[in-house]
Amino acid sequence: MNVCVRVPFCLVSLFVSAIACDLPSQNDGSSDPNVSTCSDGVLAEGEACDDGNTINGDGCNSDCHVSGSTQWCFVLPQSESTDLVNAQLAALKDGVLIGATTSGPSSGRSPTFTYLDPEGGEQWTHGIDIEQDDALHLETMVPSPSGSSVTLIGRLYVGGSQLSKVWIASIDADGVVGEPQLLTQAGEVLIAYTGAYTGANTDDGLVLGGRAADMGWIAKLGPTHELVWEQTFAYDEPTAVTDILVASDDRVVVVGTTKLPDEASNGQSIIRGFVRVHRASGDVESERLLPIEASEESLDVRAVGESGGKILIGGNRSFGPETTAQLWSLDFSLKQVEVTLITNSAFSGVSSLATTPEGTILAAGFGSESLPVAQALWAIEAIPTNVDWTFSGQQGEFSALALSTKEPAVYAGGIDPASPGTPLTVCKVSR
């Protein structure tokens, strides 16, 4: 008998690729009463729930999985001599792509990619060859609008240099990697002095951003990654872009962090979050720093999304030793701000956001070091209402989040950056 049960987390061995809930084929027209027919309102063998409809995100999804339940978890094996230093996810048409940057004593630093099918089966794993003295750090993976391939954005350190070049390539579900490019402007290679990079695909190119020297940086690239426009800006130094959203009307929303000037922070290191709205042409339509409630309060902004015609921003608010996960909801004029604190599980930060087709907000984040459970995925019906369901793991943070457009599920995964040797865990969770 195949029974799918709701569990908070699939504990798996490093040598086992996945643990999955195996459901029988559904809606096959069979009259056999022992064969499950999902969404007929009858709870049959092999179904965790059946509410008689195909609405996803209402507690019982169209595949008869309970919202927030784990379908399977996959642990990416690694050798004892290497550490995972970054993890990224991208959902494609028929599975999920995992990108992980590894660091080792002989290999330097280079990304490895693993592709899983919807049942958690490993289809292939391979890395990207780089020169022996170089190091490549994968920053983000951006699915194409069609879901057939993924754009890879990273930093390439050549010959042990402390300055990195902006590196970009593509990979598809078969593992075919396109010819890498180093982004150029007026014949010069764009240099990433420090900081991470993020991006978002559009129908006619790619928008990406990050930090160049001590300034925030955003650029629009064309179909062949030629530079269309770019901007650098700073509220104070350093300023960095942490996430980018291409909205439904093609406006570009940029969020990030900047350091509050010393004279305004009594010499303390205070971080402020900012948001900028650009027209498709690159012109700035509106911008503002996020409001604070106290002069010594820090706002660390990590993620941006769109929900209900509004901008949704995720991060954390800290005052002294206390840190709380927080969401900001703004209209595109950036004048009206609503704030929601995610406090039901005492988790302290939001690192990734996604909005389902049904309008549910998914927020992945992390918790305080004192908590025995330090990673979570929240489902939020609307701002500023409470959390609908929570999926929690064992350690580390779910810094990566990929929404499946083909199935009523979300892929969440990550590592604990403070614990060397922590494996990468990716879970498929019913939304």
Side-chain angles (χ1 to χ4, degrees):
M1 179 180 66
N2 295 308
V3 178
C4 186
V5 295
R6 181 176 185 177
V7 293
F9 192 82
C10 290
L11 296 178
V12 291
S13 167
L14 290 178
F15 305 102
V16 179
S17 294
I19 295 176
C21 294
D22 183 17
L23 289 177
S25 59
Q26 299 172 349
N27 298 318
D28 60 0
S30 172
S31 60
D32 187 345
N34 295 319
V35 176
S36 171
T37 302
C38 187
S39 302
D40 62 357
V42 178
L43 186 62
E45 292 184 0
E47 295 178 346
C49 63
D50 194 327
D51 60 0
N53 63 54
T54 58
I55 299 174
N56 295 314
D58 64 348
C60 182
N61 295 320
S62 59
D63 58 3
C64 288
H65 282 290
V66 177
S67 295
S69 62
T70 307
Q71 295 189 28
W72 50 257
C73 286
F74 175 89
V75 175
L76 185 68
Q78 62 173 321
S79 66
E80 294 181 356
S81 61
T82 62
D83 288 329
L84 293 171
V85 294
N86 191 16
Q88 298 291 330
L89 298 178
L92 294 177
K93 286 184 175 180
D94 296 305
V96 60
L97 181 68
I98 304 170
T101 301
T102 59
S103 178
S106 60
S107 61
R109 180 177 290 179
S110 61
T112 300
F113 299 94
T114 300
Y115 190 70
L116 307 179
D117 63 28
E119 286 71 45
E122 181 178 346
Q123 300 302 297
W124 49 261
T125 296
H126 67 70
I128 290 182
D129 294 330
I130 58 175
E131 297 295 330
Q132 183 175 1
D133 295 331
D134 296 348
L136 176 61
H137 192 289
L138 178 68
E139 293 291 346
T140 191
M141 304 196 305
V142 187
S144 65
S146 65
S148 59
S149 63
V150 173
T151 299
L152 311 173
I153 301 172
R155 288 180 284 152
L156 179 65
Y157 297 85
V158 179
S161 171
Q162 296 301 308
L163 298 180
S164 61
K165 301 179 179 181
V166 181
W167 178 95
I168 189 169
S170 64
I171 189 171
D172 62 21
D174 296 322
V176 178
V177 179
E179 186 66 26
Q181 295 177 259
L182 297 178
L183 302 185
T184 62
Q185 176 191 12
E188 299 293 330
V189 177
L190 290 176
I191 300 296
Y193 288 91
T194 186
Y197 282 85
T198 183
N201 268 317
T202 68
D203 291 333
D204 60 350
L206 175 72
V207 181
L208 72 160
R211 175 178 160 184
D214 282 335
M215 303 186 72
W217 174 70
I218 178 176
K220 171 66 182 293
L221 307 181
T224 58
H225 297 154
E226 71 279 9
L227 186 66
V228 177
W229 55 261
E230 74 167 342
Q231 292 187 14
T232 55
F233 58 92
Y235 299 96
D236 197 59
E237 296 181 356
T239 297
V241 173
T242 55
D243 201 12
I244 293 175
L245 165 72
V246 177
S248 54
D249 60 1
D250 292 331
R251 283 185 286 187
V252 177
V253 183
V254 179
V255 299
T257 58
T258 187
K259 181 178 177 292
L260 197 66
D262 288 341
E263 60 270 20
S265 61
N266 298 320
Q268 301 183 49
S269 181
I270 302 297
I271 296 174
R272 291 290 300 275
F274 68 82
V275 55
R276 296 163 61 96
V277 178
H278 295 252
R279 298 184 180 93
S281 63
D283 297 333
V284 178
E285 181 177 306
S286 55
E287 60 180 314
R288 72 170 296 175
L289 295 174
L290 293 176
I292 60 173
E293 298 178 1
S295 60
E296 298 180 356
E297 184 179 69
S298 282
L299 302 178
D300 190 1
V301 174
R302 291 294 163 185
V304 63
E306 183 179 13
S307 177
K310 291 188 176 183
I311 300 168
L312 187 67
I313 301 173
N316 66 70
R317 184 182 74 179
S318 60
F319 186 83
E322 297 183 2
T323 303
T324 307
Q326 187 158 341
L327 295 176
W328 296 265
S329 177
L330 303 87
D331 57 20
F332 277 83
S333 71
L334 306 185
K335 294 179 180 179
Q336 296 181 348
V337 182
E338 296 180 70
V339 178
T340 294
L341 301 179
I342 304 179
T343 57
N344 68 318
S345 299
F347 283 85
S348 61
V350 174
S351 55
S352 187
L353 288 171
T355 304
T356 72
E358 303 81 36
T360 301
I361 300 161
L362 299 173
F366 50 95
S368 64
E369 295 180 358
S370 61
L371 294 176
V373 179
Q375 59 186 5
L377 169 65
W378 303 282
I380 303 167
E381 291 184 355
I383 296 294
T385 59
N386 294 327
V387 173
D388 187 24
W389 54 260
T390 302
F391 165 75
S392 301
Q394 295 297 313
Q395 58 185 349
E397 65 179 69
F398 276 133
S399 56
L401 186 68
L403 182 66
S404 173
T405 58
K406 187 176 181 181
E407 299 179 272
V410 60
Y411 299 99
I415 57 174
D416 184 353
S419 301
T422 303
L424 169 63
T425 302
V426 176
C427 297
K428 183 178 180 180
V429 184
S430 296
R431 67 170 188 246

